[in-house]
Amino acid sequence: MRGQPRPARPQPHRCPRRALAMEPGTIDNLCILYQSPDFIVVNKHWDIRIDSKMWYETLTLQSQLKHRFPELADPDTYYGFRFCHQLDFSTSGALCVALNKAAAGSAYKCFKDRLVTKAYLALVRGHVDQSRMTIRYAIGKNTVEGMTHMMCIEGTEGCENPKPCQSELMVLEHGSYSGDPVTKVLLQPLTGRTHQLRVHCSAIGHPIVGDFTYSHKKDSGPYRMMLHAYYLRIPTSKELIEVCTPDPFVTAMDGNWVPQRVVHRLDETIQELKDKAVQKGDVGQSQQAMPGDKEEEALSKAKSLELEEQRVQCEQWLAEWALE
């Protein structure tokens, strides 16, 4: 489509099957989904931090990247690689890494202009009745003693400085996990608050399977938390980055998950997101070309959604990575 950056031709990659299996991550099982001269997209393993300043945490995504691509590590950055966004320690899936300052700057602009599309797969406890749902609970920092590492929804005890948040949920399948009723869902965060999807799922009474923290420390049985960054689209000025990861929540990979009824097909749902993303990009370009009331209104809406954590992150990107 005219006006859209053309996808770069990444080098073909095949993730080893063991990288998606139930075994813990190792230094050499990094799964590469996409690679170009400017970007790498990895399929982050569950229970691995992106980076760490703790001497005892030697297995991180940073160390995996340095092991796999020692020649690409940038000595001018603290971590060696410029991570374009974040994933929780317990969350697996698509994560984009910029390989130079110019690439980092172009990715930063996409996040700043709300042009990035992210979609997550999750298994949640219970059967979600509504096939589609918009979750709008404001989220703040939990200040209750012993829970300061957690987030909480507005109106709960100790919830400090809640910010507007919005997540979209679509039911894919109803089924069971280890005999208990669960639902496979596609989640799309339209804002970027810490632990947003985990808090929102818990708030509607369907916590993510294996989320020990937001199940009130009850859900400790599964080998991992069942949240996975499945789809990522970043339309940078350099190239269109668009990847789908392998789906880890299939019976062939985890026999504890038994699907019973399909509500929405995953491939059709992702195509719907792609179509919306292309349309959104076209609208954004037309607004940039037409200054005036419409542009001011669009900027106002974007600013109203921008959260403090994202502003801090963007400022850090500009200071460390963007072109001077």
Side-chain angles (χ1 to χ4, degrees):
M1 182 171 291
R2 189 177 180 182
Q4 288 291 315
R6 292 184 178 181
R9 293 186 177 180
Q11 298 178 13
H13 293 280
R14 287 190 176 182
C15 294
R17 188 174 181 85
R18 64 190 176 95
L20 301 174
M22 298 168 67
E23 294 87 6
T26 62
I27 191 68
D28 60 353
N29 71 346
L30 180 64
C31 172
I32 306 300
L33 300 168
Y34 175 99
Q35 185 177 356
S36 74
D38 292 308
F39 296 98
I40 291 175
V41 181
V42 304
N43 188 8
K44 175 187 166 300
H45 201 280
W46 49 272
D47 283 7
I48 286 184
R49 298 190 192 282
I50 293 175
D51 47 52
S52 177
K53 295 180 180 179
M54 302 299 178
W55 63 269
Y56 53 84
E57 288 188 299
T58 57
L59 180 59
T60 62
L61 178 54
Q62 170 205 9
S63 65
Q64 288 181 317
L65 283 166
K66 282 188 173 181
H67 178 80
R68 180 76 169 270
F69 303 107
E71 73 283 1
L72 297 181
D74 188 341
D76 293 333
T77 63
Y78 184 88
Y79 292 114
F81 292 89
R82 299 173 174 89
F83 300 108
C84 296
H85 53 113
Q86 298 289 314
L87 289 178
D88 289 347
F89 165 72
S90 302
T91 305
S92 59
L95 182 69
C96 184
V97 181
L99 298 178
N100 54 68
K101 288 183 179 180
S106 65
Y108 154 75
K109 190 175 187 304
C110 289
F111 281 91
K112 178 176 176 291
D113 294 342
R114 306 288 173 180
L115 298 177
V116 176
T117 303
K118 295 186 287 185
Y120 293 70
L121 289 174
L123 298 181
V124 300
R125 293 290 178 186
H127 285 166
V128 181
D129 294 331
Q130 298 182 46
S131 63
R132 294 175 184 253
M133 184 185 304
T134 300
I135 310 171
R136 293 190 176 92
Y137 292 109
I139 295 176
K141 181 73 175 176
N142 196 327
T143 61
V144 175
E145 185 177 358
M147 298 183 178
T148 53
H149 63 293
M150 297 173 62
M151 308 299 285
C152 52
I153 62 170
E154 187 174 18
T156 57
E157 180 186 359
C159 190
E160 181 181 89
N161 195 25
K163 301 285 187 179
C165 293
Q166 183 171 328
S167 304
E168 300 291 333
L169 180 151
M170 178 178 288
V171 173
L172 299 174
E173 296 175 287
H174 288 146
S176 64
Y177 191 87
S178 297
D180 297 321
V182 301
T183 305
K184 184 174 181 177
V185 298
L186 190 78
L187 298 166
Q188 188 178 9
L190 301 187
T191 50
R193 193 67 166 155
T194 300
H195 298 174
Q196 177 177 319
L197 297 178
R198 299 166 64 185
V199 174
H200 273 175
C201 287
S202 179
I204 63 172
H206 296 283
I208 294 173
V209 173
D211 190 346
F212 181 74
T213 300
Y214 291 101
S215 65
H216 305 290
K217 300 183 179 180
K218 296 178 181 177
D219 199 348
S220 59
Y223 70 98
R224 60 161 293 179
M225 182 179 71
M226 306 298 177
L227 180 62
H228 177 79
Y230 177 72
Y231 173 72
L232 177 66
R233 185 183 194 272
I234 310 177
T236 75
S237 58
K238 291 179 169 291
E239 62 202 74
L240 173 60
I241 301 168
E242 187 173 41
V243 296
C244 271
T245 70
D247 179 359
F249 307 137
V250 294
T251 305
M253 300 305 299
D254 184 353
N256 294 308
W257 158 242
V258 180
Q260 296 165 348
R261 183 171 71 91
V262 175
V263 178
H264 290 105
R265 287 178 53 88
L266 178 58
D267 55 350
E268 294 173 357
T269 304
I270 292 298
Q271 186 59 52
E272 182 181 325
L273 287 184
K274 291 181 180 181
D275 294 341
K276 287 182 179 178
V278 171
Q279 184 180 13
K280 179 182 177 181
D282 291 342
V283 171
Q285 289 176 0
S286 67
Q287 287 173 339
Q288 290 176 1
M290 296 175 59
D293 292 341
K294 290 185 177 179
E295 181 182 17
E296 291 177 2
E297 182 181 353
L299 288 172
S300 177
K301 289 181 179 178
K303 287 180 180 179
S304 68
L305 288 173
E306 190 171 21
L307 304 177
E308 182 63 26
E309 289 170 270
Q310 292 172 311
R311 284 199 294 270
V312 171
Q313 186 181 60
C314 287
E315 288 173 3
Q316 182 181 354
W317 287 348
L318 282 176
E320 295 182 3
W321 304 335
L323 290 172
E324 297 181 355

